[in-house]
Amino acid sequence: MLSILASDFIKIRRKLIWFLIFLGPFGVVALQAVNFGLRYDYLTKVHEKDLWAGLIGEAGYLAIPALMLGLTLIASMISNIEHQTNAWKQLLALPVSKLRVFTGKFLLTALLLFVSSTFLLLGIIVLGFFLKFGADVPLLALLKMAYFPYLAAMPFIALQIWLSITMKNQAIPLVIGIVGTILSLMSFRFPDWMPWKWPSLTNGWNDPLYSVTFGLVCGLAIYLIGLLDFARKDVK
Amino acid sequence: MNELIIETNQLTKKFSKRYAVENIDLKIKKGEIYGFLGPNGAGKTTTIRMLLGLAKPTKGSIHIFGKDMKREKLNVLKRVGSLVEYPSYYGHLNAYENLDALRILLDAPKSRINEVLSIVRLSNEAKRPVKGFSLGMKQRLGIAAALLGNPELLILDEPTNGLDPSGILEIRELIKSMPKEHGITILVSSHLLSEMDQMATQVGIISKGKMIFQDSIEALRQRAQSKIAIKVDQTEQAWRMLLSKGRQAEMDNNQIYLPHTSDEEISTVIGDLVHDHFSVYRVQEEKKSLEDIFLELTGGEGSL
Ligand SMILES: Nc1ncnc2c1ncn2[C@@H]1O[C@H](COP(=O)(O)OP(=O)(O)OP(=O)(O)O)[C@@H](O)[C@H]1O
Ligand SMILES: [Mg+2]
């Protein structure tokens, strides 16, 4: 499994993917910097009781569409590296199972988004210090803001990887991903069982862990379905 | 030497209603260069995809190195190098990185990359992004990739596709040298018989999904034996006279044809004709080319 990841990491060298991984969290932090910069007095008044929590809340809200769009683009770009010259036939004629190839792409996407989430975490800490919110950094809340939506978005990572890998025409997975991003923005109206609501971590139990658990379980299920579909199909 | 490296049994692939490959029994012995021939759309690539486990057969079985592909696919693929249709590559990476990404999966040593690059004479281009390569260079990179894992069996689908004559020659020499130097068995497909004539030891000819010939290249050449054509003034009478003397003569195109025979035999026939006062205008040897045989076998729609 490590060898397939090592191989995949060579393939994304000098690709825009790395830039996106950085751009997503940077965009969220920069927008929050502008937000707080322009409305400093107002926002510090609203979040007077807990400035850090205010910043985390605002950033977390913006991070969801960035995450949804980012995973869509990254899954598509990673798959497209193989689609471009139909390298699937070369790759799968090597002694590697389809299981490892599919899992490798899924893990690569998940790993890159994890890196992205970590950048967000660091960026928000830096911004907080910059805004002079004090040294009393609420690490737990920051970790939840950075990684919980990411874990709750697993079904989408699995879905986008599945679609992007099995379809040569990337327009379809991209459209589905973008529609998903929009749905996630309006998800506060959705019932709890809808996956687009999970990254927002809001649910009837008022416990983000429910959203995370649903995400992980459903993500695993979609990964397995995608894997079976990929293994069943002839290589193009 | 009689060990079968590839053996398929009733190998069949059906796409919706159409058979792309039908009941193919490939038999390829160790150390052979097996030329897999057929016109466009005959089913060569489809067969090769099944051999490599890229496509599942509708019916039939494949054994490579005596192992069942269904059950031991990965063990078999460890010992196989392949190039299917046009070459695949990662355009943004240079040649070295391209091979490195594959090498890791083959568990081959890093030194092998430079070895295969020098075999296909790309050492000087190793650090250039592959998207700037010419088609011939990409094809050579594809062959380098096929050689990375030190394969015992090479499966090359139209490796000279799109190459110029010197490129074709180079690849051909490379292919010819492999069995001698490394004991590799090679399956190479092409739609040009003339190309195979100069390197294959065995040939399989496939047309419309069916195997129509499988034997040594000598056996194919046998079929290309020449005939003697004789042009005389009264063809029909002359032909009857020869038949009455028990000769295997044929009449076609207002000429008489005799199967290839010895010089003495021909001289006797001419003597008979002259003796019976036929005017002999021309006696000539007509040789069928391999290409003619190929066209005949594949029913006319043939190679270029
Ligand atoms: N995925 C597919 N779906 C449907 N039909 C297919 C598919 N792949 C191949 N075919 C059909 O199967 C037949 C054999 O195709 P194949 O590519 O094996 O021929 P080939 O001998 O390699 O030809 P060429 O010399 O042009 O490469 C063709 O009629 C082709 O249209
Ligand atoms: Mg073909």
Side-chain angles (χ1 to χ4, degrees):
Chain A
M1 208 58 238
L2 277 180
S3 59
I4 192 102
L5 269 178
S7 173
D8 275 336
F9 270 109
I10 293 178
K11 291 178 202 168
I12 60 170
R13 272 186 206 166
R14 294 189 289 280
K15 276 279 174 190
L16 225 50
I17 294 172
W18 284 113
F19 176 66
L20 269 184
I21 290 305
F22 175 76
L23 182 71
F26 179 80
V28 171
V29 173
L31 281 173
Q32 284 315 320
V34 172
N35 186 18
F36 275 83
L38 289 178
R39 309 192 290 164
Y40 190 81
D41 293 335
Y42 169 73
L43 284 174
T44 44
K45 190 138 209 102
V46 174
H47 300 300
E48 202 171 19
K49 268 185 266 155
D50 191 342
L51 292 171
W52 275 106
L55 174 61
I56 290 169
E58 302 269 337
Y61 183 70
L62 250 186
I64 293 166
L67 174 69
M68 294 291 283
L69 194 61
L71 70 86
T72 301
L73 294 177
I74 285 166
S76 169
M77 288 165 92
I78 285 173
S79 311
N80 215 25
I81 292 175
E82 309 287 352
H83 286 311
Q84 256 165 9
T85 65
N86 195 9
W88 296 110
K89 61 181 162 65
Q90 188 179 48
L91 179 59
L92 291 163
L94 295 174
V96 278
S97 62
K98 284 178 143 182
L99 165 79
R100 280 173 67 202
V101 169
F102 188 84
T103 308
K105 303 282 178 213
F106 175 74
L107 281 182
L108 179 67
T109 313
L111 223 72
L112 289 172
L113 288 161
F114 180 83
V115 171
S116 216
S117 302
T118 308
F119 278 147
L120 178 67
L121 174 76
L122 298 174
I124 294 299
I125 295 178
V126 171
L127 180 63
F129 282 134
F130 208 74
L131 294 170
K132 303 204 167 57
F133 285 178
D136 200 8
V137 184
L139 256 185
L140 197 65
L142 272 168
L143 287 171
K144 281 186 187 169
M145 180 274 294
Y147 298 119
F148 274 13
Y150 159 75
L151 295 174
M154 273 308 153
F156 300 102
I157 299 182
L159 177 73
Q160 291 302 137
I161 270 293
W162 174 22
L163 297 176
S164 296
I165 284 181
T166 48
M167 294 178 179
K168 190 166 169 60
N169 181 359
Q170 292 300 297
I172 302 162
L174 284 176
V175 165
I176 291 175
I178 290 166
V179 169
T181 306
I182 296 167
L183 288 177
S184 74
L185 280 172
M186 344 193 283
S187 68
F188 54 90
R189 297 185 212 171
F190 293 172
D192 282 353
W193 59 263
M194 290 201 45
W196 292 277
K197 193 172 184 179
W198 301 343
S200 74
L201 307 177
T202 50
N203 54 55
W205 297 274
N206 268 324
D207 183 349
L209 276 178
Y210 280 96
S211 303
V212 170
T213 312
F214 292 157
L216 288 176
V217 171
C218 180
L220 182 68
I222 295 182
Y223 155 79
L224 287 174
I225 296 169
L227 173 62
L228 285 178
D229 181 53
F230 178 63
R232 185 183 55 89
K233 278 190 178 129
D234 281 354
V235 181
K236 294 221 184 64
Chain B
M1 280 304 272
N2 270 338
E3 187 186 335
L4 283 178
I5 296 292
I6 299 183
E7 185 176 19
T8 70
N9 198 336
Q10 304 279 298
L11 189 60
T12 299
K13 183 74 182 181
K14 205 172 164 186
F15 290 114
S16 51
K17 284 258 152 70
R18 279 188 57 252
Y19 284 98
V21 170
E22 207 176 342
N23 297 327
I24 296 268
D25 295 331
L26 273 180
K27 290 196 175 18
I28 305 180
K29 289 195 273 286
K30 192 177 164 76
E32 300 279 5
I33 298 181
Y34 186 98
F36 193 35
L37 282 161
N40 291 125
K44 302 181 293 291
T45 302
T46 307
T47 306
I48 286 175
R49 282 173 176 282
M50 288 191 282
L51 292 179
L52 293 168
L54 295 173
K56 289 190 190 73
T58 310
K59 200 189 87 187
S61 68
I62 302 169
H63 284 81
I64 299 181
F65 307 122
K67 296 185 161 118
D68 186 353
M69 263 307 268
K70 261 204 205 96
R71 281 184 288 132
E72 295 188 71
K73 182 171 128 179
L74 296 185
N75 279 330
V76 169
L77 290 179
K78 261 184 212 143
R79 301 157 66 186
V80 179
S82 63
L83 174 63
V84 180
E85 281 188 313
Y86 48 89
S88 295
Y89 54 90
Y90 305 110
H92 61 292
L93 301 179
N94 65 38
Y96 188 93
E97 291 166 329
N98 260 277
L99 294 175
D100 200 22
L102 304 174
R103 174 203 68 87
I104 292 177
L105 300 174
L106 284 161
D107 218 3
K110 255 194 146 81
S111 58
R112 184 69 188 150
I113 300 175
N114 287 323
E115 276 171 40
V116 293
L117 279 172
S118 87
I119 292 176
V120 299
R121 300 199 303 106
L122 279 178
S123 300
N124 293 332
E125 319 288 341
K127 299 289 177 205
R128 255 177 64 191
V130 172
K131 59 171 171 264
F133 276 23
S134 71
L135 181 61
M137 288 161 72
K138 286 172 185 162
Q139 200 83 12
R140 274 166 25 215
L141 181 66
I143 291 179
L147 293 174
L148 259 180
N150 264 315
E152 294 161 55
L153 169 65
L154 258 186
I155 296 182
L156 305 172
D157 189 16
E158 311 221 18
T160 53
N161 217 346
L163 298 187
D164 60 14
S166 76
I168 293 178
L169 191 74
E170 199 178 308
I171 302 265
R172 188 193 296 150
E173 292 307 313
L174 187 65
I175 290 175
K176 265 162 66 173
S177 71
M178 302 255 164
K180 268 184 250 139
E181 287 169 24
H182 312 282
I184 299 178
T185 307
I186 301 178
L187 166 65
V188 51
S189 85
S190 174
H191 56 268
L192 292 173
L193 180 69
S194 54
E195 210 171 87
M196 288 300 142
D197 189 19
Q198 309 182 38
M199 57 181 175
T201 54
Q202 291 279 313
V203 274
I205 299 180
I206 180 175
S207 174
K208 300 193 182 103
K210 294 203 177 96
M211 188 75 103
I212 50 176
F213 179 90
Q214 179 169 240
D215 209 331
S216 67
I217 188 99
E218 283 81 34
L220 189 64
R221 285 208 191 92
Q222 291 280 313
R223 290 222 186 183
Q225 282 250 343
S226 56
K227 285 196 278 192
I228 306 294
I230 305 172
K231 201 167 165 109
V232 293
D233 55 350
Q234 292 162 298
T235 317
E236 178 134 10
Q237 284 94 319
W239 174 57
R240 285 184 197 292
M241 185 275 286
L242 290 176
L243 284 182
S244 73
K245 296 210 178 230
R247 307 237 168 247
Q248 283 185 317
E250 278 169 43
M251 191 176 66
D252 190 26
N253 246 339
N254 210 25
Q255 291 196 93
I256 296 167
Y257 289 95
L258 294 172
H260 186 87
T261 45
S262 64
D263 291 349
E264 292 78 41
E265 200 82 0
I266 298 295
S267 112
T268 320
V269 169
I270 306 296
D272 289 347
L273 287 169
V274 172
H275 184 264
D276 286 10
H277 303 290
F278 291 106
S279 305
V280 178
Y281 300 143
R282 270 180 179 71
V283 180
Q284 57 194 16
E285 192 169 340
E286 279 191 6
K287 207 167 164 75
K288 267 203 273 184
S289 70
L290 279 179
E291 217 64 12
D292 294 332
I293 301 278
F294 185 48
L295 284 174
E296 242 176 64
L297 283 169
T298 56
E301 48 154 341
S303 60
L304 305 168

